[in-house]
């Protein structure tokens, strides 16, 4: 049954006591066992459960902070029936690994980037397309709206993966080691790191660059050594991963605004009673509001750090990049369902 995940109006008031330090960007797991307990009218269907959530973000990343807050509140509101332990820093593995462990039922929850889900159902590529979202508010109004995403998110349940909703990973821009990028022509011949997504590979190709898929943790050394000429990401990741030290030219191409998804083992969700599932869903949506506010603060702090480091900023004519990558939209929307999701997403921007 589809649930109404429509996101409430974004709150800007943060929960008391949260402290944000540095942050990281881009996305694994082990086994758990739920102790047997007697069932009741409330609580879980079979008693209490102990869940793990895998993230690739650092402990002080806005998503991790928000997820930890969600876990704490769920534990309190269910009186300990649902205990969620948070594992940041890829301590349970990388994203592709974490997604498989969720599907296997080895772990219960993970934060997964868009390209990983695109590999399971190509219709997820809609939200990985450049310029599909106007801004973060538009993005959040879509990716947590059941009317638009309900069927898409449910499409993986036959593989034991339930997509519950998404956080923002901010807008992505190009940064380079030796020169600023002002027009698409400036990327000609440059090796630009991208995530492992056919969509993102084609995107950089249309800009004129040479897309280079690479694990996120390898990018700093590759930029430093000249294996890469640049990369694309948000300000928070750029600073927290210290790419600011080796790629001092930051160009506001704003070509992507990508989500990070919360996914769950479908069989694990089925262990929850209706009462505890309602608590979990409500606290997830609260964590999304919190994360968006934290993200705005983290972005402001990252920009201040970039200015202090002497980064050369370039405000570009984004329409030039939009025109260059426009063919990617039509060539990517190969199913009626993908086209319908795209059209609904664009309509939501009005």
């Amino acid at each position: 049954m589809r649930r109404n995940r429509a996101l409430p109006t974004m709150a800007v008031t943060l929960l008391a006591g949260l402290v944000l330090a540095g942050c990281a960007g881009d996305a694994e797991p082990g086994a758990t066992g739920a102790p047997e307990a007697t069932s009741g009218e409330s609580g879980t269907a079979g008693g209490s459960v102990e869940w793990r959530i895998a993230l690739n973000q650092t402990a002080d990343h806005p998503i991790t902070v928000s997820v930890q807050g969600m876990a704490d509140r769920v534990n309190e509101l269910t009186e300990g029936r649902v205990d969620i332990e948070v594992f940041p820093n890829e301590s349970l593995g990388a994203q592709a690994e974490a997604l498989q462990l969720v599907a296997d039922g080895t772990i219960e929850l993970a934060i997964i980037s868009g390209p990983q889900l695109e590999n399971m159902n190509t219709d997820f590529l809609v939200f990985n397309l450049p310029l599909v979202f106007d801004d973060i508010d538009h993005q959040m109004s879509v990716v947590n709206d059941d009317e638009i995403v309900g069927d898409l998110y449910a499409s993986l349940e036959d593989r034991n993966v339930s997509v519950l909703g998404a956080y923002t990973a901010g807008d992505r821009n190009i940064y380079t080691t030796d020169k600023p990028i002002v027009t698409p022509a400036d990327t000609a011949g440059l090796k630009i790191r991208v995530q492992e997504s056919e969509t993102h590979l084609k995107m950089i190709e249309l800009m004129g660059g040479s897309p280079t898929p690479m694990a996120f943790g390898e990018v700093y050394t590759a930029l430093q050594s000249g294996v890469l000429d640049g990369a694309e990401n948000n300000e928070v990741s750029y600073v927290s991963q210290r790419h600011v030290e080796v790629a001092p030219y930051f160009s506001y191409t704003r070509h992507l605004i990508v989500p990070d998804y919360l996914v769950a083992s479908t069989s694990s969700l089925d262990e929850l009673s209706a009462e505890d599932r309602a608590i979990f869903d409500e606290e997830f949506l609260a964590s999304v509001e919190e994360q968006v506010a934290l993200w705005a603060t983290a972005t402001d702090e990252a920009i201040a750090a970039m200015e202090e480091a002497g980064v050369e900023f370039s405000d570009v004519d984004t329409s030039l990049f939009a025109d260059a990558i426009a063919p990617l939209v039509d060539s990517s929307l190969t199913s009626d369902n993908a086209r319908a999701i795209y059209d609904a997403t664009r309509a939501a921007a009005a």
Side-chain angles (χ1 to χ4, degrees), residues 43-45 49 51 81-82 268-274 276-277 280:
T44 64
V49 295
W51 285 1
R81 294 185 300 269
V82 182
S268 296
L269 289 176
D270 290 342
E271 297 178 10
L272 297 183
S273 69
D276 285 351
R277 179 61 192 273
F280 179 85

Side-chain angles (χ1 to χ4, degrees), residues 15-269:
L15 298 181
L18 287 174
V19 178
L20 180 64
C23 306
D26 267 343
E28 246 161 80
T32 67
E36 291 188 15
T38 57
S39 61
E41 293 183 3
S42 65
T44 64
S48 62
V49 295
E50 296 178 1
W51 285 1
R52 297 180 181 182
I53 179 167
L55 306 88
N56 78 331
Q57 289 88 354
T58 57
D60 46 25
H61 187 277
I63 290 180
T64 311
V65 172
S66 300
V67 165
Q68 184 63 65
M70 175 187 72
D72 293 342
R73 294 190 301 273
V74 167
N75 181 269
E76 179 180 357
L77 292 169
T78 63
E79 299 178 341
R81 294 185 300 269
V82 182
D83 185 20
I84 303 172
E85 188 171 0
V86 179
F87 290 85
N89 293 314
E90 293 189 344
S91 57
L92 297 180
Q95 280 194 350
E97 210 179 335
L99 182 57
Q100 185 59 55
L101 288 167
V102 168
D104 292 343
T106 305
I107 64 169
E108 295 76 24
L109 300 164
I111 302 296
I112 301 296
S113 64
Q116 298 296 333
L117 298 188
E118 180 182 330
N119 293 332
M120 297 185 74
N121 178 351
T122 56
D123 288 344
F124 276 95
L125 69 79
V126 172
F127 300 140
N128 299 330
L129 288 172
L131 307 173
V132 65
F133 300 117
D134 288 358
D135 52 35
I136 289 175
D137 284 343
H138 175 210
Q139 178 193 40
M140 290 292 97
S141 73
V142 169
V143 297
N144 291 301
D145 183 351
D146 192 62
E147 291 301 313
I148 298 175
V149 300
D151 291 336
L152 176 66
Y153 286 4
S155 69
L156 305 181
E157 289 179 356
D158 61 350
R159 300 167 73 172
N160 198 40
V161 175
S162 293
V163 183
L164 301 178
Y167 301 97
T168 188
D171 55 21
R172 298 174 78 96
N173 305 279
I174 293 177
Y175 48 90
T176 46
T177 58
D178 294 327
K179 67 175 185 178
I181 301 300
V182 180
T183 71
D186 295 327
T187 68
L190 297 186
K191 298 182 292 295
I192 306 295
R193 183 265 176 177
V194 294
Q195 297 184 72
E196 295 180 10
S197 161
E198 194 64 31
T199 303
H200 293 179
L201 290 168
K202 292 177 181 176
M203 175 187 69
I204 295 298
E205 287 175 352
L206 287 170
M207 289 184 187
S210 177
T212 307
M214 183 178 294
F216 191 51
E218 300 173 6
V219 175
Y220 180 94
T221 301
L223 289 167
Q224 185 180 46
S225 65
V227 171
L228 290 174
D229 300 303
E232 51 88 43
N233 216 315
N234 55 68
E235 298 97 333
V236 175
S237 297
Y238 174 65
V239 170
S240 65
Q241 295 299 299
R242 298 170 42 230
H243 297 172
V244 62
E245 299 174 358
V246 289
Y249 300 95
F250 195 93
S251 300
Y252 276 108
T253 52
R254 295 186 173 91
H255 52 276
L256 286 174
I257 304 177
V258 296
D260 275 341
Y261 298 93
L262 175 62
V263 302
S265 165
T266 305
S267 57
S268 296
L269 289 176

Side-chain angles (χ1 to χ4, degrees), residues 286-333:
S287 75
V288 172
E289 291 190 8
E290 180 185 337
Q291 189 263 336
V292 170
L294 285 170
W295 187 264
T297 299
T299 300
D300 289 343
E301 292 176 351
I303 291 172
M306 292 161 67
E307 292 172 342
E308 185 176 351
V311 168
E312 181 176 324
F313 296 88
S314 295
D315 286 316
V316 307
D317 182 350
T318 56
S319 68
L320 297 176
F321 291 86
D323 290 344
I325 58 186
L328 182 57
V329 174
D330 284 334
S331 65
S332 298
L333 300 177

